[in-house]
């Protein structure tokens, strides 16, 4: 069944393999495109996901996370926190496309600014191929006979240990910040075969009056890590 829930990262989250299907206004043939923008209702998004769910024949776990909005501002206010907590490519893509569409609509209403003459400011140039060659040269130089004394090696080791401690500290700090983040979303969880779950999925679809929708459906044999991120009033972890 559908419910409103809080999504927060589980400290014990583990890697998993699952199939991900995304429904959003920019999926080809799904969203409704007009002169004023691209729209998708929750009913159309869920129906589209239900068609994919119907193909499941084996006993499968399903988790759907969905955000909606009656206005673009409300939609982004719901999407941004969920993207921060669970930045799957589908949500980050929708966030980027939605912002681009809003910026384009604003630009159309403005008089184009004149492009100034002259060159842009200088910025550091770094591309993957040059970084690889630069790193290889540094390694070769460090490995050259007589390139470093014993005292130099000790100093390099001390620098390495300091950098390692700094990186571990940054990782711990970042994990702490993520643990404190949460988002609200519509959630559907179920286990079974496609036919039975489709009937459940299409029952009491939430936020039917919304015109903006983004949803992802995860399917797999074990989605306990994802279900552990879902929190409601009755318990922690769906």
């Amino acid at each position: 069944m559908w419910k409103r829930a809080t999504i927060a990262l589980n400290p014990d989250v583990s890697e998993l393999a699952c199939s991900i299907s995304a429904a959003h206004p920019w999926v080809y043939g799904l969203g409704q495109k007009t002169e004023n923008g691209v729209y998708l209702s929750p009913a159309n998004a869920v129906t589209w996901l239900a068609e994919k769910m119907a193909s499941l024949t084996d006993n499968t776990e399903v988790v759907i996370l969905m955000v909606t909005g009656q206005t673009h501002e409300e939609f982004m206010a719901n999407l941004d926190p969920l993207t921060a907590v669970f930045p799957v490519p589908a949500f980050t893509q929708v966030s980027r496309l939605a912002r681009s569409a809003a910026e384009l609509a604003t630009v159309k209403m403005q008089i184009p600014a004149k492009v100034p003459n002259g060159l842009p400011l200088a910025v550091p140039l770094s591309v993957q191929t040059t970084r690889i060659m630069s790193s290889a040269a540094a390694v070769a130089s460090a490995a050259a006979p007589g390139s470093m004394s014993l005292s130099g090696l000790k100093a390099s080791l001390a620098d390495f240990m300091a950098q390692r401690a700094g990186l571990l500290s940054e990782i711990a700090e970042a994990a702490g910040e993520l643990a404190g983040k949460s988002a609200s979303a519509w959630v559907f969880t179920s286990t079974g075969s496609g036919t039975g779950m489709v009937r459940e999925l299409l029952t009491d679809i939430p936020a039917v009056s919304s015109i903006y929708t983004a949803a992802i459906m995860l399917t797999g044999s074990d989605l306990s890590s994802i279900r552990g991120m879902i929190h409601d009033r009755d318990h922690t972890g769906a």
Side-chain angles (χ1 to χ4, degrees), residues 148-160:
M148 187 173 293
S149 63
L150 180 60
S151 59
L153 288 172
K154 290 181 178 179
S156 296
L157 180 60
D159 289 341
F160 170 77

Side-chain angles (χ1 to χ4, degrees), residues 8-14 179 228-229 231:
L9 285 176
N10 185 348
D12 298 325
V13 65
S14 58
M229 296 169 53
H231 307 261

Side-chain angles (χ1 to χ4, degrees), residues 5-152:
T6 298
I7 310 301
L9 285 176
N10 185 348
D12 298 325
V13 65
S14 58
E15 294 185 358
L16 56 87
C18 64
S19 173
I20 301 179
S21 300
H24 56 77
W26 290 273
V27 172
Y28 180 76
L30 180 57
Q32 181 181 1
K33 187 175 182 180
T34 70
E35 294 181 356
N36 297 322
V38 184
Y39 306 97
L40 177 64
S41 69
N44 287 340
V46 171
T47 300
W48 189 80
L49 292 175
E51 293 175 358
K52 293 185 173 295
M53 182 187 289
S55 66
L56 297 173
T57 55
D58 298 329
N59 193 63
T60 306
E61 286 194 42
V62 173
V63 173
I64 297 177
L65 306 178
M66 182 172 72
V67 292
T68 64
Q70 294 185 347
T71 65
H72 182 271
E73 291 74 17
E74 181 187 5
F75 177 60
M76 296 306 298
N78 291 328
L79 177 63
D80 285 344
L82 183 58
T83 303
V85 173
F86 197 51
V88 292
F91 283 152
T92 56
Q93 180 190 30
V94 172
S95 179
R96 184 175 66 253
L97 291 171
R99 280 189 167 79
S100 297
E103 291 172 359
L104 180 60
T106 301
V107 169
K108 287 181 178 179
M109 295 184 293
Q110 296 175 342
I111 299 175
K114 294 182 178 180
V115 179
N117 294 326
L119 298 173
L121 296 175
V123 295
L125 175 62
S126 177
V127 297
Q128 183 180 14
T129 50
T130 60
R131 289 196 299 269
I132 292 174
M133 296 304 293
S134 178
S135 298
V139 171
S141 176
S147 61
M148 187 173 293
S149 63
L150 180 60
S151 59

Side-chain angles (χ1 to χ4, degrees), residues 152-173:
L153 288 172
K154 290 181 178 179
S156 296
L157 180 60
D159 289 341
F160 170 77
M161 295 302 293
Q163 292 177 9
R164 178 178 180 275
L167 288 173
L168 291 176
S169 177
E170 290 177 3
I171 292 172
E173 182 178 353

Side-chain angles (χ1 to χ4, degrees), residues 1-3 62-64 187-191 200 227 230 238:
M1 61 179 289
W2 286 99
K3 63 181 178 181
V62 173
V63 173
I64 297 177
V187 175
F188 174 88
T189 59
S190 188
T191 303
E200 186 181 0
R227 287 187 285 104
I230 302 170

